[in-house]
């Protein structure tokens, strides 16, 4: 059934019913198996429904504990987005991605993470920010949550104002400005594989239909 809007602004129909919602099933015990500098591995013994819905049973669920991440889709006045090329060892690929990074400052709002990464990786600031997407990339394996923001009204940051030293994979970042429509084509052709980039590009294309008027304002910042 198609969704409609009630005169008072409330959504009706399927659009009012379909929404992810927080919920936590009981955990009998939990054990941190590994803790590294950026993430960890935990096992929870979760109280689950029993066979055929009768009684309960315990099921061990392993998952990665992750602080989350944020990405910035920088869109310039010519309708181009910024993509950065970076080596990713876990998948043995060189990837074209949006400026992004982990929320490695405890308690930091994701928007501030995106703003910091845009400065550090691209040397840019943005005067306007909106949220494009908010998603869990691997819900069966990790609690990682990623926020993707649209960044506009861009300006260059003087090098002397950037208090960041690039090392390791970030020492040879390459940058390309790609028209948004072309970036969509790269996604559909299977030439881009980073989840934040794919979701951000397709969300930006959809949001551009009404001039980005329907996008949410970011909570933080």
């Amino acid at each position: 059934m198609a969704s409609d809007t009630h005169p008072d602004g409330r959504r009706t129909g399927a659009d009012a019913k379909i929404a992810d919602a927080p919920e936590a099933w009981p955990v009998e015990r939990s054990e941190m198996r590994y803790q590294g500098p950026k993430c960890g591995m935990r096992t929870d013994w979760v109280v689950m429904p029993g066979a055929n819905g009768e009684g309960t049973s315990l099921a061990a669920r392993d998952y990665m504990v992750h602080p989350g991440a944020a990405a910035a889709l920088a869109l310039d006045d010519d309708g181009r987005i910024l993509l950065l090329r970076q080596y990713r060892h876990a998948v043995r690929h060189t990837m074209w991605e949006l400026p992004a990074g982990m929320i490695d400052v405890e308690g930091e709002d994701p928007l501030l993470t995106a703003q910091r990464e845009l400065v550090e990786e691209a040397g840019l600031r943005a005067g306007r920010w909106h949220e494009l997407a908010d998603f869990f990339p691997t819900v069966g394996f990790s609690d990682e949550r990623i926020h993707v923001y649209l960044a506009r009204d861009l300006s260059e940051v003087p090098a002397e104002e950037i208090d960041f030293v690039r090392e390791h994979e970030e020492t040879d970042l390459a940058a390309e400005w790609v028209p948004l429509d072309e970036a969509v084509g790269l996604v559909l052709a299977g030439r881009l594989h980073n989840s934040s980039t794919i979701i951000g590009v397709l969300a930006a294309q959809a949001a551009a239909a009404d001039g980005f008027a329907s996008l949410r304002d970011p909570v933080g910042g």
Side-chain angles (χ1 to χ4, degrees):
M1 180 173 63
S3 63
D4 299 300
T5 303
H6 192 275
D8 66 4
R10 290 182 290 109
R11 290 286 188 177
T12 60
D15 196 29
K17 299 177 182 177
I18 300 177
D20 298 335
E23 182 175 350
W25 288 10
V27 175
E28 183 178 89
R29 63 188 177 97
S30 181
E31 181 179 339
M32 183 64 79
R33 303 285 194 175
Y34 164 80
Q35 181 62 63
K38 293 186 176 181
C39 61
M41 288 297 301
R42 178 178 291 279
T43 300
D44 286 348
W45 281 262
V46 186
V47 179
M48 299 273 192
N52 300 317
E54 297 180 1
T56 61
S57 62
L58 280 183
R61 291 293 179 263
D62 301 322
Y63 60 97
M64 180 175 67
V65 179
H66 193 285
L73 187 142
L75 182 70
D76 71 7
D77 293 339
D78 296 321
R80 302 177 303 170
I81 68 167
L82 178 64
L83 294 178
L84 302 177
R85 187 189 65 200
Q86 183 172 343
Y87 174 66
R88 296 298 187 182
H89 184 71
V91 293
R92 272 65 167 185
H93 270 66
T94 299
M95 313 282 285
W96 286 95
E97 308 175 355
L98 305 178
M102 293 177 59
I103 303 173
D104 49 14
V105 177
E106 186 175 355
E108 183 174 65
D109 186 275
L111 175 61
L112 296 180
T113 302
Q115 292 172 334
R116 185 182 67 247
E117 294 295 333
L118 186 61
V119 172
E120 292 178 352
E121 294 190 348
L124 295 172
R125 286 197 180 99
R128 281 190 293 171
W129 291 85
H130 289 89
E131 187 154 10
L132 277 173
D134 166 15
F135 66 100
F136 299 99
T138 50
V139 295
F141 176 73
S142 173
D143 65 358
E144 180 183 10
R145 188 171 191 164
I146 300 178
H147 294 260
V148 183
Y149 298 95
L150 174 67
R152 291 179 290 170
D153 292 348
L154 305 173
S155 60
E156 292 188 9
V157 179
E160 59 271 18
E161 294 183 18
I162 303 176
D163 184 20
F164 176 72
V165 178
R166 292 181 180 177
E167 61 179 351
H168 304 142
E169 296 94 339
E170 295 177 332
T171 57
D172 64 346
L173 288 178
E176 291 287 345
W177 287 94
V178 180
L180 179 57
D181 288 345
E182 290 186 17
V184 172
L186 294 174
V187 169
L188 298 181
R191 295 175 61 182
L192 300 179
H193 299 86
N194 174 268
S195 60
S196 300
T197 304
I198 291 172
I199 291 173
V201 165
L202 297 182
Q205 182 202 35
D210 66 357
F212 305 106
S214 60
L215 288 181
R216 295 166 287 163
D217 289 329
V219 175

